[in-house]
Amino acid sequence: MSPTLSKQDMFLQRLKEDAELVQAKLQDLLSDTPHGAERTRPERLLLAMQHGVLNGGKRIRPFLMLEVARMLGTDHPGVLRAACALECVHCYSLIHDDLPAMDDDDLRRGKPTIHIAFDEATAILAGDALLTMAFDILSDEATHPNPAIRAELVLGLAQNAGVGGMAGGQSLDIESEGRNRTEDEIKQMQAMKTGALLRYACEAGAILAKSDDQTRQIMRDFGTHIGLAFQLADDLLDVTASSEQLGKTAGKDLNTNKATLVSLYGLEKTKAILEDLIEDSHKMLQPFGDHADILVAAAEFIAKRKN
Amino acid sequence: MSPTLSKQDMFLQRLKEDAELVQAKLQDLLSDTPHGAERTRPERLLLAMQHGVLNGGKRIRPFLMLEVARMLGTDHPGVLRAACALECVHCYSLIHDDLPAMDDDDLRRGKPTIHIAFDEATAILAGDALLTMAFDILSDEATHPNPAIRAELVLGLAQNAGVGGMAGGQSLDIESEGRNRTEDEIKQMQAMKTGALLRYACEAGAILAKSDDQTRQIMRDFGTHIGLAFQLADDLLDVTASSEQLGKTAGKDLNTNKATLVSLYGLEKTKAILEDLIEDSHKMLQPFGDHADILVAAAEFIAKRKN
């Protein structure tokens, strides 16, 4: 077994273990009587939230936050809570993106989307409530004893998920359908829509570890690379993979004439850019030596994933 | 001029001044280059957010937060920011409630709702982005130098706006359409849907003033009373006022057979309950003496408002 393969195996094992931890914690956070909660949670809305969150998925964003925090030396149980908060935001964005007024998708990971399984109003509210819950989780002292850390986690998530981040990117994406866009415009849109939360995943790990500014900057840059690689790989998959592999409708970007870098560069150049991103990520993490092995393998996995 | 009238006049003057301060601060927070922001804000989404927020309105929630904070002795400029964050959450809830899948309203304060003036996807995203921006504003150190206060403001808003608060109440409201509900069920739904944010407005004022637990509890209780009074007055208006007075479609609750306490109690008993709520609010605020005059007048105004 080559050393590279072995690191990939270690990474895959860690990814699986983290996904199980995240699933269990999300189940707890989304139960009708979570630890410490005093408030009534309406059953139908809670079921819809569970439907949107407890549906498998690789949990890449929580993994990145957990792994960065581990690499930087913190294993406070609150990191898992923060990772789950981020996953709630990711899942809210999928629920709203799937709505009839947006991408109008009936399936997500092979299961009916929430507006199909429940109804449209419930899907809108479930997304709203998951977004709100993320900030509930982050600002609770169980996430970190230091309120300055909690406030910083909230600020970072809000900035990366809002009008200057994910929501803004989704708006740019909708506007760009059917129009010709420049490379810079596509990059900007993708950096906001997909990149922002992945960058935050890495940065939040460094915030939780109380890292110095230089380390935070490295993790932000690494997250930016991961974000671009993720989107390029996603666009590649949309062209090359079948619907069965993806668990969602393939070729959708081409059908709706959505601007992607793959449609601009072509397959070969896109693959070359992905190789460069892996290479750069590796260099970026050299200051952390062997401790970064799993993150390096994660970058490779994200760039080359098959679904 | 009777002393009671004079307090009402003082209150109305204060309400108007605060609404102007809130409007100016919201304009700043929702500009394309707000102070300190580094991020691109997509124009169309930002315009939709402005449309949903900078549309007048009495700004009752921000007023309550500002006035409670003033009564308790704080005039830090960050209070205005926190009040604007709360208004962003209120406005997001209106935008999403107006969507075709929810109340399907074309008009709000006499102007086209966002899904009419823009489109449905933009209305969903504008709501999402405003909710997110509220947490961005609260967790920024410009709101309060003490991160523990910022974290507490975030936690309270998230709990009152989420599945155990406003979003949960909206879900219960949708479920209850066309069904017979008990008094307790209607009260629970209204306390969550409308009461939670009004209670938070009062509690947040006390948090910002770093008040002791007893004072916070009083302000929470006062907020709970205000919330119930607000909803009862709203339901009364739906029965008695014209669409012109309301700036939205009147009689909507009756038409859609929505359960309200007015439909359960009748007009006279509802008015009597409102009188009791004003009386109780007054008693609750007696420890603050004259300092509470404006809040007492606010309770009376909210219970007896004509639009």
Side-chain angles (χ1 to χ4, degrees), chain B residues 67-205:
Chain B
E67 184 57 29
V68 168
R70 267 192 298 256
M71 181 183 81
L72 298 174
T74 182
D75 61 353
H76 187 280
V79 181
L80 182 58
R81 291 174 51 90
C84 289
L86 175 57
E87 189 69 4
C88 286
V89 171
H90 172 57
C91 293
Y92 121 75
S93 77
L94 299 181
I95 295 167
H96 281 191
D97 284 3
D98 286 340
L99 284 168
M102 302 261 215
D103 292 347
D104 195 14
D105 262 315
D106 292 354
L107 285 179
R108 168 72 60 185
R109 293 182 188 133
K111 277 172 46 182
T113 45
I114 298 197
H115 62 277
I116 300 292
F118 294 80
D119 57 74
E120 214 178 314
T122 302
I124 295 166
L125 285 171
D128 294 346
L130 283 170
L131 172 58
T132 311
M133 180 178 278
F135 296 107
D136 184 342
I137 295 168
L138 288 184
S139 59
D140 190 302
E141 64 183 3
T143 296
H144 201 284
N146 182 343
I149 300 282
R150 302 201 297 276
E152 202 175 345
L153 289 171
V154 168
L155 185 66
L157 183 59
Q159 289 183 338
N160 283 295
V163 60
M166 184 179 66
Q170 174 69 359
S171 178
L172 289 177
D173 195 19
I174 291 170
E175 275 186 73
S176 79
E177 274 179 42
R179 275 202 243 156
N180 284 325
R181 288 256 159 171
T182 65
E183 182 178 335
D184 282 348
E185 284 172 328
I186 300 173
K187 277 187 177 168
Q188 171 76 10
M189 179 274 284
Q190 289 185 339
M192 291 168 75
K193 183 180 172 176
T194 312
L197 279 203
L198 287 157
R199 186 175 56 233
Y200 175 74
C202 298
E203 189 182 0

Side-chain angles (χ1 to χ4, degrees), chain B:
Chain B
M1 197 183 279
S2 78
T4 310
L5 249 184
S6 162
K7 283 178 194 168
Q8 274 292 319
D9 287 347
M10 276 168 54
F11 154 73
L12 288 171
Q13 180 63 26
R14 191 63 68 85
L15 181 66
K16 184 167 166 287
E17 287 165 8
D18 280 352
E20 284 162 8
L21 290 173
V22 166
Q23 180 78 4
K25 178 56 78 176
L26 283 170
Q27 256 158 357
D28 173 41
L29 290 165
L30 286 162
S31 65
D32 55 353
T33 50
H35 179 70
E38 297 161 13
R39 288 160 184 272
T40 305
R41 297 178 150 191
E43 189 185 6
R44 185 175 170 83
L45 182 57
L46 194 61
L47 285 172
M49 293 165 75
Q50 291 167 351
H51 183 101
V53 172
L54 304 175
N55 57 358
K58 287 184 287 293
R59 314 291 191 191
I60 285 279
R61 292 158 194 78
F63 160 79
L64 286 169
M65 198 192 295
L66 288 162
E67 184 57 29
V68 168
R70 267 192 298 256
M71 181 183 81
L72 298 174
T74 182
D75 61 353
H76 187 280
V79 181
L80 182 58
R81 291 174 51 90
C84 289
L86 175 57
E87 189 69 4
C88 286
V89 171
H90 172 57
C91 293
Y92 121 75
S93 77
L94 299 181
I95 295 167
H96 281 191
D97 284 3
D98 286 340
L99 284 168
M102 302 261 215
D103 292 347
D104 195 14
D105 262 315
D106 292 354
L107 285 179
R108 168 72 60 185
R109 293 182 188 133
K111 277 172 46 182
T113 45
I114 298 197
H115 62 277
I116 300 292
F118 294 80
D119 57 74
E120 214 178 314
T122 302
I124 295 166
L125 285 171
D128 294 346
L130 283 170
L131 172 58
T132 311
M133 180 178 278
F135 296 107
D136 184 342
I137 295 168
L138 288 184
S139 59
D140 190 302
E141 64 183 3
T143 296
H144 201 284
N146 182 343
I149 300 282
R150 302 201 297 276
E152 202 175 345
L153 289 171
V154 168
L155 185 66
L157 183 59
Q159 289 183 338
N160 283 295
V163 60
M166 184 179 66
Q170 174 69 359
S171 178
L172 289 177
D173 195 19
I174 291 170
E175 275 186 73
S176 79
E177 274 179 42
R179 275 202 243 156
N180 284 325
R181 288 256 159 171
T182 65
E183 182 178 335
D184 282 348
E185 284 172 328
I186 300 173
K187 277 187 177 168
Q188 171 76 10
M189 179 274 284
Q190 289 185 339
M192 291 168 75
K193 183 180 172 176
T194 312
L197 279 203
L198 287 157
R199 186 175 56 233
Y200 175 74
C202 298
E203 189 182 0
I207 293 172
L208 284 155
K210 296 194 81 166
S211 300
D212 57 29
D213 288 348
Q214 197 191 348
T215 304
R216 285 189 198 196
Q217 188 57 51
I218 294 173
M219 296 326 303
R220 252 197 307 270
D221 292 344
F222 174 70
T224 304
H225 271 61
I226 289 275
L228 184 54
F230 188 93
Q231 187 61 48
L232 287 171
D234 212 45
D235 292 345
L236 267 184
L237 280 169
D238 191 71
V239 178
T240 59
S242 69
S243 297
E244 199 181 334
Q245 277 175 295
L246 292 179
K248 62 181 181 181
T249 316
K252 192 148 179 128
D253 293 349
L254 284 179
N255 291 338
T256 55
N257 197 20
K258 266 195 189 173
T260 74
L261 288 179
V262 177
S263 62
L264 208 72
Y265 293 148
L267 290 182
E268 290 318 307
K269 188 171 171 196
T270 304
K271 285 177 186 169
I273 295 172
L274 276 170
E275 286 295 340
D276 288 348
L277 284 170
I278 298 170
E279 185 71 23
D280 287 351
S281 303
H282 200 152
K283 281 185 199 150
M284 228 172 252
L285 296 177
Q286 271 171 357
F288 307 101
D290 293 353
H291 296 295
D293 280 356
I294 286 181
L295 282 181
V296 171
E300 192 165 344
F301 170 81
I302 284 168
K304 297 184 172 173
R305 71 210 157 85
K306 295 284 178 280
N307 62 53

